[in-house]
């Protein structure tokens, strides 16, 4: 990158204005900031916006469990080390009894929700998922489930519209939807990932329809793979525009592509690239209240630094997590560990639920 101090000055000046709520960060300035060598100044601006939106010292976290009800998937994404094709010896589908036991254990451990995602299983129709949700809802737990590619897949298998699928799942007990499968919202990038699962417009349609039905969702971005910096800005732009229309996104989570054990391979993204992208996301997505630190992929130390680069949430202690682990990331924290990590970074830990409401302050 050729260094243009004047361009950096203007972009950082705009970032400071955005942090104060005086103007929205424009795409051209956001793009410039993704390359600025003045990373500390960028972090200070993002930290300023975080403090304006969240003035207190609290950093939130959640006790929940990632439940992958099946790893059977026909999408064949080349960045995924978790899926197995139908008929594979290592393919599985959890029984209702196994799912029930996982949710019971989550409740016993103080968990307030489960995040359920699976592969695009070719043989399961909408009735299967309705029964699953209704069965688990008996435990009185928040069901944060089924990413947009799964919803699109359910609609195709069951020959229903996306609205019909979402309405039926909500009636069965679905409380909110995770932003998985977003990757990068540019179809040329999605096709390069061999992601036979949902287009950019389908992902956005699921989210906008869910918001219209009163189902809150999160938004995500997986970066550091095949996308350009321009593609990252396009992704953020589409999410900000949708949030302007609906207000239905509770949080934004960006994480880095994990290359180990994947067909795609490649190198890991640097910590500096992660922190820059996180800070730009905080500054650009001025209409999304919460930004999550991705310590699971970046490690605890960078996860702590992220709290000074715009993040106000440390995500989940993850009683169980399988997808990122399959790609080689093995960072784990228990509840005391999570609270210690937040305190060591200079903040006050507060347990939250899936919708970012405090459960209780840590002792």
């Amino acid at each position: 990158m050729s260094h243009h101090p004047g361009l950096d000055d203007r972009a950082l000046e705009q970032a400071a204005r955005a942090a104060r709520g005086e103007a929205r960060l424009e795409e051209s300035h956001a793009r410039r900031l993704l390359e600025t060598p003045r990373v500390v100044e960028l972090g200070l601006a993002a930290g300023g916006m975080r403090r304006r939106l969240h003035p207190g010292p609290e950093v939130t976290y959640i006790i929940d469990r990632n439940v992958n009800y099946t790893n059977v998937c026909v999408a064949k994404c080349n960045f995924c080390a978790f899926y197995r094709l139908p008929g594979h010896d290592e393919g599985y589908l959890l029984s209702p009894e196994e799912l029930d036991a996982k949710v019971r254990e989550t409740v016993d451990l103080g968990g307030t929700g489960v995040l359920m995602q699976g592969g695009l299983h070719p043989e399961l129709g909408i009735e299967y998922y309705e029964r699953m949700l209704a069965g688990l809802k008996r435990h009185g737990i928040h069901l944060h489930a089924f990413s947009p590619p799964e919803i699109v897949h359910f609609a195709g298998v069951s020959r229903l519209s996306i609205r019909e699928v979402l309405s039926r799942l909500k009636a069965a007990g679905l409380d909110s939807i995770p932003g998985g499968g977003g990757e990068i919202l540019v179809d040329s990038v999605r096709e390069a990932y061999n992601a036979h699962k949902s287009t950019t417009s389908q992902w956005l349609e699921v989210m906008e329809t869910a918001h219209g039905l009163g189902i809150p969702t999160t938004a995500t971005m997986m970066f550091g793979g095949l996308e350009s910096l321009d593609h990252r800005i396009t992704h953020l732009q589409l999410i900000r525009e949708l949030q302007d229309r609906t207000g239905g996104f509770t949080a934004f989570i960006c994480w880095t592509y994990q290359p180990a054990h994947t067909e795609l391979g490649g190198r890991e993204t640097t910590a500096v690239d992660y922190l820059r992208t996180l800070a730009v996301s905080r500054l650009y997505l001025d209409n999304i209240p919460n930004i999550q630190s991705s310590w699971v992929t970046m490690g605890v130390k960078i996860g702590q630094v992220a709290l000074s680069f715009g993040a106000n949430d440390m995500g989940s202690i993850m009683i169980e997590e399988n997808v990122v682990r399959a790609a080689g990331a093995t960072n784990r924290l228990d509840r005391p560990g999570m609270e210690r990590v937040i305190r060591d970074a200079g903040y006050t830990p507060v347990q939250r639920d899936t919708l970012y409401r405090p459960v209780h302050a840590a002792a």
Side-chain angles (χ1 to χ4, degrees):
M1 181 198 80
S2 56
H3 182 35
H4 299 286
L7 294 178
D8 282 335
D9 285 340
R10 283 199 291 278
L12 286 163
E13 187 181 313
Q14 290 304 311
R17 293 190 68 209
R20 294 191 296 267
E22 295 170 2
R24 299 193 99 174
L25 188 61
E26 296 173 11
E27 289 74 36
S28 60
H29 293 127
R31 172 66 178 79
R32 181 70 205 164
L33 293 170
L34 287 178
E35 289 186 294
T36 181
R38 291 157 64 179
V39 179
V40 173
E41 290 173 72
L42 174 61
L44 287 170
M49 178 174 270
R50 175 221 183 279
R51 285 189 298 279
R52 178 168 65 81
L53 298 175
H54 303 277
E58 296 82 12
V59 164
T60 48
Y61 72 93
I62 187 171
I63 300 176
D64 70 355
R65 180 180 208 135
N66 279 23
V67 177
N68 299 110
Y69 57 88
T70 184
N71 66 346
V72 175
C73 187
V74 295
K76 296 193 283 193
C77 300
N78 57 11
F79 60 81
C80 179
F82 178 69
Y83 81 90
R84 296 295 180 267
L85 290 172
H88 193 286
D89 289 347
E90 295 172 4
Y92 72 83
L93 176 65
L94 295 180
S95 69
E97 294 74 24
E98 289 171 313
L99 284 170
D100 209 62
K102 286 177 182 290
V103 173
R104 267 204 317 276
E105 184 187 31
T106 303
V107 173
D108 291 344
L109 290 169
T112 56
V114 289
L115 191 167
M116 282 200 308
Q117 297 182 113
L120 307 188
H121 197 297
E123 295 164 17
L124 303 177
I126 186 72
E127 295 81 9
Y128 174 86
Y129 300 101
E130 287 175 313
R131 286 195 301 273
M132 178 197 292
L133 291 169
L136 298 179
K137 202 63 191 172
R138 293 196 307 265
H139 298 285
I141 201 162
H142 185 104
L143 299 178
H144 184 55
F146 310 136
S147 62
E150 289 170 272
I151 301 294
V152 171
H153 180 70
F154 301 168
V157 170
S158 298
R159 294 190 172 90
L160 296 169
S161 70
I162 284 170
R163 175 173 289 276
E164 288 169 322
V165 167
L166 288 169
S167 297
R168 287 177 62 166
L169 293 176
K170 183 182 181 184
L174 178 68
D175 294 304
S176 59
I177 293 174
E183 280 86 65
I184 293 289
L185 294 172
V186 176
D187 283 336
S188 61
V189 179
R190 301 174 77 76
E191 288 159 14
Y193 283 137
N194 196 29
H196 303 295
K197 56 185 187 181
S198 66
T199 62
T200 295
S201 61
Q202 286 173 323
W203 192 94
L204 293 166
E205 181 189 354
V206 170
M207 291 307 194
E208 187 153 11
T209 305
H211 297 170
L213 291 169
I215 304 170
T217 77
T218 57
T220 62
M221 177 169 73
M222 183 192 80
F223 67 96
L226 298 174
E227 87 289 344
S228 68
L229 297 183
D230 288 336
H231 291 146
R232 293 186 201 176
I233 297 301
T234 298
H235 182 100
L236 294 174
Q237 186 178 359
L238 289 168
I239 286 173
R240 186 165 83 174
E241 288 171 355
L242 177 52
Q243 182 74 341
D244 279 343
R245 294 197 298 274
T246 67
F249 288 123
T250 59
F252 178 76
I253 308 107
C254 63
W255 64 82
T256 56
Y257 163 62
Q258 300 294 297
H261 315 306
T262 66
E263 179 189 335
L264 181 60
R267 289 184 305 201
E268 287 195 30
T269 304
T270 66
V272 169
D273 188 31
Y274 167 70
L275 292 169
R276 259 196 301 236
T277 303
L278 177 79
V280 170
S281 300
R282 172 63 292 170
L283 290 160
Y284 186 81
L285 298 174
D286 55 2
N287 52 7
I288 294 183
N290 301 292
I291 302 285
Q292 193 177 113
S293 164
S294 185
W295 63 269
V296 177
T297 55
M298 296 307 300
V300 168
K301 294 296 184 190
I302 298 301
Q304 289 175 305
V305 176
L307 298 176
S308 298
F309 275 71
N312 63 288
D313 180 77
M314 282 290 277
S316 173
I317 67 164
M318 294 205 179
I319 296 166
E320 176 182 353
E321 198 289 322
N322 304 299
V323 178
V324 174
R325 175 169 289 255
T330 56
N331 298 302
R332 299 300 291 270
L333 284 174
D334 58 11
R335 181 179 188 160
M338 173 68 86
E339 297 194 349
R340 185 177 63 252
V341 162
I342 292 171
R343 284 200 181 95
D344 286 351
Y347 299 92
T348 303
V350 174
Q351 186 187 345
R352 64 163 172 91
D353 65 11
T354 310
L355 299 180
Y356 290 79
R357 300 171 300 202
V359 174
H360 59 74

